[in-house]
Amino acid sequence: MGFLCLLIIGIHLHAVTFALPSSWCNVTSPSGPIPANALYFNTKSRYEEVNPYLMSDILAINESWVKPPSPACRAVHLSAIIRHGTRYPTSGNIKKMIQFSKLVKSRADLSCVKELQTWKMWYKEDMDGRLVEKGRSDHRYLARRLIKSFPTLITKENIEEGRVKLITSSKHRCVNSTLAFKHGVMEGLCIQGVDLPHTINDELMRFFDQCRRLLETVENNKDAVKEVELFKNGPEMKRVQEKLADRLQLPYSNVTADSVETVFYLCAYEFTIRGLNSPWCRLLDDADGQVMEYSGDLKQFWKRGFGHDINSKASCILFHDLFKRLDAAANQIKSGGRVSEVVMVQVGHAETLLPLLTLLDLFKDDVPLTSSNFASHRGRAFRTGAIVPYAANLLMTLFDCPDGLRLQARLNERPLTLPGLDDLSPLYQDVRKRYEQLLQGCDQDTVCMMDSSKN
Ligand SMILES: *[C@@H]1O[C@H](CO)[C@@H](O)[C@H](O)[C@H]1NC(C)=O
Ligand SMILES: *[C@@H]1O[C@H](CO)[C@@H](O)[C@H](O)[C@H]1NC(C)=O
Ligand SMILES: *[C@@H]1O[C@H](CO)[C@@H](O)[C@H](O)[C@H]1NC(C)=O
Ligand SMILES: *[C@@H]1O[C@H](CO)[C@@H](O)[C@H](O)[C@H]1NC(C)=O
């Protein structure tokens, strides 16, 4: 009796929820090997989307990007802060994927996306954020390109004499990225049996886990990310949900903002991990992709970016670590000595890099990202897919030039102008002047203390 009743209600709901829209079968067509939405994957973006020339040659470097400030300059130090490579989804996201794909298989009308009928769920919860094979390649080939870009710094001699160092976050995906990076270095230099040790340092690479003020005021405070929730419940997201529901012929009540995100993730992961333009990608068009990208950027903006002052200040420890090393190298050069740490490679997370880039005042839009200004932010600077894809890297290179020491910054191997310094290779002393306030303050303990006034 009860069952029958439920069944009738079910049918009834189904009937009233949608009168068939004429465009219900309007799924996007597979446009080739790369999903049309690949530019919108935020922190789940492939590194190759930022540097497309790598698709035809993974070892290619753009010579015009790695020129010294002038031919008379000589590279003397490289600090690289690198995000881990391509990884599996976290267990929480895998759970959502399993759930929604079950619903789709059992209740959706798949006559528009027939390939979904045969698509098999293969993600398992214990894959939880682990580095995948592609992630190993990301680091291995990045290492080999860096050897080509800095042939006088990453050398056999510097390694043998202990002037190349590696530090990593303790997370398995970072440690394994570090191992892949080393593999790339050894392979690129044709050396074997040389020890290139790494150390684990979470205080430095996972400062976001240790800064009490960040944890209490942002991480564990729903209010801090209320704009994200508002956007998820706003009109742009609602429209994406309805279009997805129409395409799958599911009741609107079954397709939440979370479901859309799950489909978007499935598309992204199938692409980055397996290189597939999967049927899940058919379900979201370009307009949907832009909304999803904004939603992801909004979250990063409030959790790791300019949204709250503490987000970037939590990286003070990494900022000082970087400048201390640059200072040390600069002083050794000035006193006519030899640089003792020629290369420092640090492997961490998107959550490591974004706050530091924010602290350096990079990718700052005039107007904050909020739930209500999606339309006016189409041309925004804060695009996490371009800033922190897998294997994202901030490269700081010090050059000894006739007119003094100069610093070149690069992000994802591309030249980067530090805000307020219009030269691509400013004098190091001008860089220090630009960040003088941070260099004199930005004390980690003070900044992260719960009762401190702002530093
Ligand atoms: C199908 O979708 C495309 C892209 O979203 C849109 O431009 C077109 O107008 C749609 N066609 C119909 C019949 O809805
Ligand atoms: C290399 O960099 C230059 C300058 O930014 C650019 O014009 C050129 O298109 C780049 N080459 C490739 C293959 O991306
Ligand atoms: C890391 O690599 C080792 C061997 O290279 C492997 O056994 C281990 O499962 C990997 N861990 C992750 C998280 O990928
Ligand atoms: C889908 O919606 C139907 C009714 O609209 C409801 O009975 C069912 O529990 C929903 N399923 C999920 C997984 O949300």
Side-chain angles (χ1 to χ4, degrees), residues 246-277:
D246 286 348
R247 284 168 176 150
L248 290 168
Q249 291 290 283
L250 283 171
Y252 286 173
S253 63
N254 278 160
V255 180
T256 62
D258 249 18
S259 325
V260 182
E261 194 178 80
T262 300
V263 168
F264 196 57
Y265 278 149
L266 274 162
C267 170
Y269 281 115
E270 287 288 274
F271 178 55
T272 55
I273 298 175
R274 305 170 85 189
L276 299 176
N277 185 347

Side-chain angles (χ1 to χ4, degrees), residues 121-150:
M121 184 68 206
W122 65 283
Y123 297 92
K124 305 216 161 53
E125 275 183 49
D126 66 0
M127 291 172 171
D128 189 22
R130 288 179 179 276
L131 194 70
V132 297
E133 200 47 48
K134 171 69 168 74
R136 260 177 268 279
S137 306
D138 290 339
H139 270 253
R140 177 174 159 204
Y141 293 115
L142 173 63
R144 294 190 56 180
R145 292 195 301 276
L146 292 185
I147 292 173
K148 282 169 90 177
S149 297
F150 307 101

Side-chain angles (χ1 to χ4, degrees), residues 22-24 26-28 243 247 285-288:
S22 58
S23 61
W24 77 275
N26 191 5
V27 299
T28 61
K243 280 161 76 183
R247 284 168 176 150
D285 61 30
D286 189 76
D288 302 330

Side-chain angles (χ1 to χ4, degrees), residues 7 24 54 72 98 152 163 186 192-193 229 285-286 339 381 387 391 405 422 441 455:
L7 201 68
W24 77 275
L54 295 174
I98 293 173
T152 61
R163 288 189 291 267
M186 299 302 167
Q192 278 179 340
E229 279 313 301
D285 61 30
D286 189 76
V339 175
I387 304 171
L405 288 157
D422 44 13
N455 189 27

